[in-house]
Amino acid sequence: MHGHAAMRRRRPDFTRLFLAQGFATLLVALLAGLRHGHEGVLSALMGGLVSLLPSLYFVWRGLRVRDGRRPRVSVMNLYQAAMGKFGLTVALFVIVFVAVPPSNPAFFFVAYVAAQLMHWLTPWLLRDRPTQRT
């Protein structure tokens, strides 16, 4: 018997995606700092966080239970994670624009969009890398 361990799929590692989102945010923050100073940096960092935090929530909530024997539970987890991500995104936008309005909304949105665009790289960022044999 081959055992179930060989048949199990590994969980994808989203670390590279989160690092790419962080890198995109920091790049925009650097450009914002050169162009607009301290306020531009803070605006860009807030935009990146508004993108990154819901992504972290989605991965945490959506991939909690992955049971091949109960696909309905897995699908429900993904739907709930998507709705939670959307709700968290809306809440974070409201909090940012009501409690701590960015001094430069342009840098806020550029950083948000740059971090969101990293999702397009997900298939490349999540693919397995060959391991070196020693």
Side-chain angles (χ1 to χ4, degrees):
M1 187 183 223
H2 295 337
H4 292 309
M7 300 294 290
R8 287 175 106 180
R9 293 185 67 175
R10 291 185 320 147
R11 284 187 160 211
D13 182 11
F14 288 92
T15 305
R16 286 181 280 204
L17 172 62
F18 299 139
L19 288 174
Q21 286 184 299
F23 178 75
T25 300
L26 291 176
L27 184 63
V28 173
L30 175 68
L31 296 173
L34 294 173
R35 176 92 174 144
H36 207 8
H38 181 69
E39 290 88 15
V41 170
L42 287 176
S43 295
L45 291 176
M46 283 192 293
L49 281 176
V50 169
S51 175
L52 181 62
L53 292 176
S55 296
L56 289 167
Y57 172 81
F58 178 82
V59 168
W60 171 75
R61 179 69 172 92
L63 300 180
R64 271 193 325 188
V65 176
R66 288 185 54 178
D67 187 357
R69 296 175 303 239
R70 299 182 338 190
R72 186 175 213 172
V73 171
S74 296
V75 170
M76 285 305 297
N77 277 340
L78 288 175
Y79 281 130
Q80 290 171 352
M83 295 308 295
K85 179 182 177 181
F86 178 73
L88 184 57
T89 302
V90 170
L92 288 172
F93 267 103
V94 168
I95 289 169
V96 165
F97 281 99
V98 170
V100 190
S103 62
N104 192 322
F107 286 123
F108 174 86
F109 284 111
V110 168
Y112 176 80
V113 169
Q116 283 294 107
L117 289 177
M118 293 301 108
H119 288 285
W120 287 1
L121 300 177
T122 300
W124 179 72
L125 292 169
L126 295 184
R127 78 172 182 227
D128 288 334
R129 305 274 196 248
T131 58
Q132 294 180 351
R133 295 180 188 213
T134 56

